[in-house]
């Protein structure tokens, strides 16, 4: 059993902790938190051991009547691998603690790429992370783009990608984020950081990305144009994408016309927190003009990186190869929203 510690128990960390618990080959040692807030209470209710991320703040947990199993050092020492899901920049600060204990660490997309030996997307470059000490799971948007581009590159070759990312203003709990009533080019000049981030996964790719922020908390939406090296047709592309376990082709005639209904669908399907680990590609949007492919895909920012973190744990600990890890993660989590439509 691989013993896993999760440092930072917020939007990403709590989902990764639950996903680790769902794995047959992993044990969750515990989760490190800075403050005894409602999420700490939820961790205790789930039976997860709490560790104090900042030793000086440990007494706050005592005052709140929350038992603490130890400090960050103790968690890292007890773990075979750490998933660091702290806010951007904190992972880089924690790196020396992971190094001190010789515990491999997985960071998130908010960290700079140079925090790690390699950036990671399970479908695209699992092998690069095998046995690595420091691995960075790329951001939600880059994860979504990498999953889409990997099969297209393999099947047709990709000459150039142009993607406009319509990004949610903040997560549902981020009450200080915006815009509330605006549409912001963000950044106003080319490129947004997503294109360069995709190049940490596919260094030889040619990609331009533009970003916007809108008053939504639900999901991101990508308007994608990929110039392929070979001409094809929409049916062939749809078939190719449908074979990918982490791509969900939103069927026609379902009434799912946007991110609101996608989230509703996920909740109806019994997904915890309404999470959608899969890219959601509208089947009707897949269009081909010569070698140009067009489509819309929605990305659930709070959860699409969760299965990637689980796979990254197996990669750094070398406990399973790519195909086995992806299959196990998919099965244990219940990947495949499209199954809801199979009759
Ligand atoms: P979050 O703010 O929801 O959660 C971070 C948690 O870490 C909070 O509970 C915070 O209290 C805690 N924390 C702060 N300092 C800490 C420390 N020193 N030690 C331990 N815990 C500490 O943030 P998030 O949205 O989960 O983002 C975490 C990382 O994941 C970031 O790199 C982010 O860019 C990345 N990411 C976020 C999203 C998203 O949409 N939320 C998607 C993909 C990747």
């Amino acid at each position: 059993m691989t013993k896993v510690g999760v440092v930072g128990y917020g939007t990403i960390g709590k989902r990764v902790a639950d996903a680790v618990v769902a794995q047959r080959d992993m044990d969750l040692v515990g989760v490190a938190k800075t403050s005894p807030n409602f999420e700490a209470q939820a961790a205790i209710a789930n039976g997860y051991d709490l560790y104090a991320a900042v030793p000086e703040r440990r007494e706050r947990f005592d005052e709140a009547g929350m038992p603490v199993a130890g400090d960050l050092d103790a968690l890292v020492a007890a773990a075979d691998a750490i998933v660091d899901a702290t806010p951007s920049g904190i992972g880089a600060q924690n790196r020396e603690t992971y190094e001190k204990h010789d515990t491999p660490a997985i960071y998130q997309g908010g960290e700079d790429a140079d925090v790690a030996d390699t950036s990671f997307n399970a479908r695209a470059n699992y092998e690069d992370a095998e046995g690595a000490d420091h691995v960075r799971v790329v951001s939600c948007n880059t994860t979504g783009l990498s999953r889409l581009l990997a099969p297209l590159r393999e099947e047709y070759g990709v000459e150039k990608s142009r993607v406009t990312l319509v990004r949610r203003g903040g997560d549902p709990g981020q009450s200080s984020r915006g815009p509330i009533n605006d549409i912001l080019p963000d950044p106003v000049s080319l490129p947004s950081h997503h294109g360069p981030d995709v190049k940490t996964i596919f260094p030889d790719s040619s990609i331009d990305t533009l970003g916007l922020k809108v008053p939504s908390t639900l999901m991101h939406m990508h308007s994608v144009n990929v110039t392929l090296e070979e001409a094809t047709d929409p049916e062939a592309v749809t078939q190719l994408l449908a074979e990918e376990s982490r791509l969900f082709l939103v069927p026609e005639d379902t009434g799912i016309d946007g991110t609101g209904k996608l989230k509703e669908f996920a909740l109806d399907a019994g997904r915890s927190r309404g999470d959608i680990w899969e890219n959601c590609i509208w089947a009707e949007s897949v269009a081909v003009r010569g070698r140009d492919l067009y489509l819309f895909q929605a990305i659930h920012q709070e959860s699409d990186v969760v299965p990637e973190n689980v796979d990254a744990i197996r990669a750094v600990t070398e406990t399973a190869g790519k195909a086995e890890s992806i299959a196990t993660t998919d099965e244990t989590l219940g990947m495949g929203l499209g199954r809801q439509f199979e009759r």
Side-chain angles (χ1 to χ4, degrees):
M1 294 292 261
T2 304
K3 294 184 283 236
V4 180
V6 174
V7 178
Y9 192 75
T11 304
I12 303 298
K14 63 187 169 190
R15 288 170 165 84
V16 171
D18 291 353
V20 165
V21 169
Q23 305 307 305
R24 294 183 289 267
D25 56 343
M26 297 181 194
D27 273 336
L28 181 72
V29 182
V31 302
K33 279 210 49 75
T34 47
S35 56
N37 68 355
F38 73 99
E39 284 164 324
Q41 196 62 58
I44 291 172
N46 284 337
Y48 303 164
D49 280 348
L50 271 184
Y51 287 77
V54 181
E56 304 80 64
R57 296 200 200 161
R58 184 170 173 163
E59 62 190 33
R60 290 202 207 170
F61 290 89
D62 299 334
E63 286 161 16
M66 293 190 192
V68 171
D71 294 338
L72 178 65
D73 264 308
L75 176 63
V76 179
D80 299 319
I82 288 288
V83 175
D84 184 303
T86 58
S88 307
I90 306 285
Q93 292 172 25
N94 288 340
R95 188 187 148 119
E96 66 175 345
T97 304
Y98 309 143
E99 276 183 330
K100 187 173 79 185
H101 292 280
D102 205 14
T103 305
I106 294 148
Y107 307 87
Q108 307 306 309
E111 300 298 324
D112 290 342
D114 62 10
V115 76
D117 308 324
T118 183
S119 291
F120 179 84
N121 171 256
R123 174 65 179 77
N125 70 340
Y126 186 98
E127 293 83 358
D128 292 348
E130 288 182 303
D133 291 329
H134 303 276
V135 166
R136 168 180 166 266
V137 171
V138 288
S139 74
C140 48
N141 282 310
T142 307
T143 294
L145 290 172
S146 300
R147 285 178 183 164
L148 174 68
L149 289 174
L152 294 174
R153 285 165 59 91
E154 290 164 17
E155 185 72 11
Y156 305 111
V158 168
E159 185 177 298
K160 173 96 191 173
S161 306
R162 300 170 187 83
V163 183
T164 301
L165 300 100
V166 181
R167 299 156 61 205
R168 58 88 177 101
D171 294 339
Q174 291 177 312
S175 46
S176 61
R177 298 271 290 255
I180 289 176
N181 181 24
D182 208 342
I183 301 170
L184 304 177
D186 179 46
V188 72
S189 53
L190 191 82
S192 71
H193 70 271
H194 309 92
D197 206 27
V198 168
K199 283 161 128 345
T200 68
I201 299 292
F202 301 120
D204 62 342
S205 60
S206 174
I207 177 165
D208 286 334
T209 53
L210 296 124
L212 298 149
K213 275 213 286 192
V214 297
S216 172
T217 63
L218 300 177
M219 298 178 78
H220 302 296
M221 183 79 78
H222 298 171
S223 169
V224 177
N225 165 217
V226 178
T227 305
L228 304 167
E229 287 174 358
E230 283 173 28
T232 182
D233 57 68
E235 291 73 27
V237 175
T238 302
Q239 180 63 35
L240 177 76
L241 300 182
E243 286 166 10
E244 295 288 320
S245 67
R246 295 181 186 175
L247 303 183
F248 164 46
L249 272 291
V250 182
E252 297 183 31
D253 305 325
T254 53
I256 299 176
D257 58 4
T259 57
K261 294 209 179 71
L262 268 177
K263 289 286 289 171
E264 195 71 11
F265 173 58
L267 285 162
D268 288 348
R271 286 284 176 93
S272 170
R273 304 184 176 99
D275 282 351
I276 307 176
W277 305 297
E278 304 89 343
N279 295 21
C280 301
I281 300 169
W282 272 269
E284 285 167 278
S285 75
V286 176
V288 178
R289 301 283 182 273
R291 290 188 291 118
D292 274 319
L293 166 68
Y294 299 87
L295 57 82
F296 287 119
Q297 68 172 2
I299 300 295
H300 186 220
Q301 74 281 357
E302 296 174 286
S303 68
D304 76 327
V305 297
V306 171
E308 310 299 328
N309 274 277
V310 173
D311 291 329
I313 293 166
R314 293 200 188 89
V316 298
T317 55
E318 295 183 285
T319 46
K322 171 179 173 174
E324 183 189 348
S325 179
I326 290 176
T328 304
T329 307
D330 289 354
E331 186 218 321
T332 51
L333 294 186
M335 193 73 62
L337 264 181
R339 283 201 306 269
Q340 302 284 324
F341 294 103
E342 287 169 6
R343 296 191 178 88

